[in-house]
Amino acid sequence: MHTNTNSKIASWEPPSPHRPEYYVQSPPRDSHDGEKIPLTPILSPVASPDRYARISSSTRYSGYFKPRSPNITIGSTSRRVGNQFDAVERETSDDGEGQRRCCFQGLVAGFVLLLTFFALGLWGVSKHQKPVVIMKSIEFKNFVIQAGGDASGVNTEMVTLNSTVTFLFRNTAGFFKLHVSTSPLDLSFRELILATGSIDEFSQLSKSERTLEVTVEGSEVPVYGGGADLRRQNVEGEPVPLTSSLRIRAYAHILGRLVKPIYHIEVQCSVNMDSKNMNVAIPLSNQCIYN
């Protein structure tokens, strides 16, 4: 009897210090007294494999001991959080890039708008700063009418005229220079041009002026039907009515070539040529029309 007991005791292994505790609770029953059965911790003894199998099968349905895989859950959660973070970061970067693009476009549009208003303001100011042309005088140095023939051999009266016209050009603008060109300055009798003069292009600084002298001359100009009247007036000593015409074109470059105001001035003067007043400057101040 004692020997068997020793053999049984020898076959037992010492219990593990980390043996899990199990809480066993009987199914709820109807109780008239309303008392609840308390939970009782029971140490799991070392038993045979069959007993362990029964215990594991009985605890398989227990929610407290349902096997979990925390590493897999944490990894998938981390991947989801990482994906969400990447999506938010992409959206943030896209929003930032869009905001920078919108700011750049807004700056460009504002600069263009400001430059346009500034150019329009300069153009409006420049339109009120027109150049001034003042015709001063004309001096006849020579006037000869004689019989002759044109290049085709037709007999007609021929006129030779030599004169000098003086006028003033003034740039009234305060902040830009003018580039000036003119048409030929003509002297005509009844729409028949007797003499012409040319003016070289020039530039005029702001708030400045210059006086120009133009030689207007014609040599042996055929006058055809008008020659009889010219000869008669010249012989009788009557003044010959002549018309002087001049067209001036001036322009400026403001802000590079962004603003380019252009001015056109037409001047027409009526003057009487008198053979008694040769080599005398005849004032034109009250004889001209400016357009």
Side-chain angles (χ1 to χ4, degrees):
M1 184 68 180
H2 182 74
T3 304
N4 293 334
T5 304
N6 292 334
S7 63
K8 290 181 181 181
I9 293 173
S11 63
W12 284 83
E13 295 179 1
S16 174
H18 301 289
R19 184 176 303 164
E21 295 181 356
Y22 296 92
Y23 291 84
V24 180
Q25 180 179 4
S26 60
R29 298 178 181 178
D30 297 336
S31 177
H32 296 283
D33 52 5
E35 295 181 355
K36 294 183 180 180
I37 302 177
L39 296 177
T40 305
I42 301 177
L43 293 176
S44 173
V46 176
S48 63
D50 294 339
R51 185 171 181 178
Y52 282 117
R54 286 194 301 270
I55 293 173
S56 62
S57 62
S58 62
T59 58
R60 186 180 303 169
Y61 302 99
S62 174
Y64 294 101
F65 303 99
K66 186 176 181 180
R68 301 178 183 273
S69 54
N71 294 332
I72 297 176
T73 304
I74 294 174
S76 61
T77 304
S78 300
R79 286 193 295 271
R80 288 196 300 270
V81 172
N83 293 334
Q84 293 176 358
F85 179 77
D86 293 339
V88 172
E89 186 176 5
R90 284 196 299 270
E91 292 178 358
T92 305
S93 61
D94 293 341
D95 294 341
E97 184 177 359
Q99 291 178 357
R100 288 192 296 271
R101 189 183 297 110
C102 291
C103 290
F104 178 75
Q105 293 176 354
L107 289 176
V108 171
F111 176 75
V112 171
L113 187 61
L114 181 62
L115 185 62
T116 302
F117 278 112
F118 185 64
L120 288 176
L122 290 177
W123 180 81
V125 171
S126 66
K127 297 302 289 184
H128 296 284
Q129 297 182 349
K130 299 178 180 180
V132 176
V133 176
I134 300 175
M135 304 299 292
K136 287 190 170 183
S137 63
I138 183 170
E139 180 181 348
F140 294 100
K141 297 180 179 181
N142 186 23
F143 180 77
V144 176
I145 183 169
Q146 61 187 6
D150 60 6
S152 62
V154 177
N155 294 327
T156 183
E157 300 292 337
M158 311 291 288
V159 173
T160 298
L161 176 63
N162 188 2
S163 64
T164 302
V165 177
T166 304
F167 69 94
L168 175 73
F169 182 88
R170 179 182 299 150
N171 182 7
T172 61
F175 58 91
F176 57 83
K177 178 175 64 175
L178 288 176
H179 305 276
V180 185
S181 62
T182 67
S183 66
L185 197 157
D186 298 332
L187 276 173
S188 59
F189 172 74
R190 296 179 182 176
E191 298 181 359
L192 180 63
I193 297 176
L194 302 179
T196 60
S198 61
I199 303 173
D200 295 334
E201 295 184 5
F202 62 93
S203 298
Q204 192 66 40
L205 297 177
S206 61
K207 295 293 183 180
S208 65
E209 62 184 29
R210 71 172 59 189
T211 300
L212 296 97
E213 292 185 355
V214 184
T215 300
V216 183
E217 59 185 0
S219 177
E220 297 183 353
V221 179
V223 292
Y224 302 105
D229 294 336
L230 279 175
R231 180 178 288 276
R232 179 182 58 81
Q233 291 177 350
N234 187 39
V235 170
E236 295 179 357
E238 297 180 1
V240 178
L242 299 178
T243 301
S244 171
S245 61
L246 175 65
R247 294 179 181 178
I248 298 176
R249 179 180 182 269
Y251 64 90
H253 292 301
I254 305 175
L255 292 179
R257 293 182 179 270
L258 185 61
V259 181
K260 184 181 179 180
I262 301 176
Y263 310 95
H264 295 276
I265 302 174
E266 294 185 3
V267 184
Q268 189 171 1
C269 303
S270 298
V271 59
N272 292 325
M273 185 193 65
D274 193 347
S275 58
K276 298 177 182 179
N277 294 326
M278 290 296 175
N279 298 317
V280 176
I282 301 174
L284 297 175
S285 57
N286 297 325
Q287 307 295 327
C288 299
I289 299 175
Y290 301 90
N291 296 321

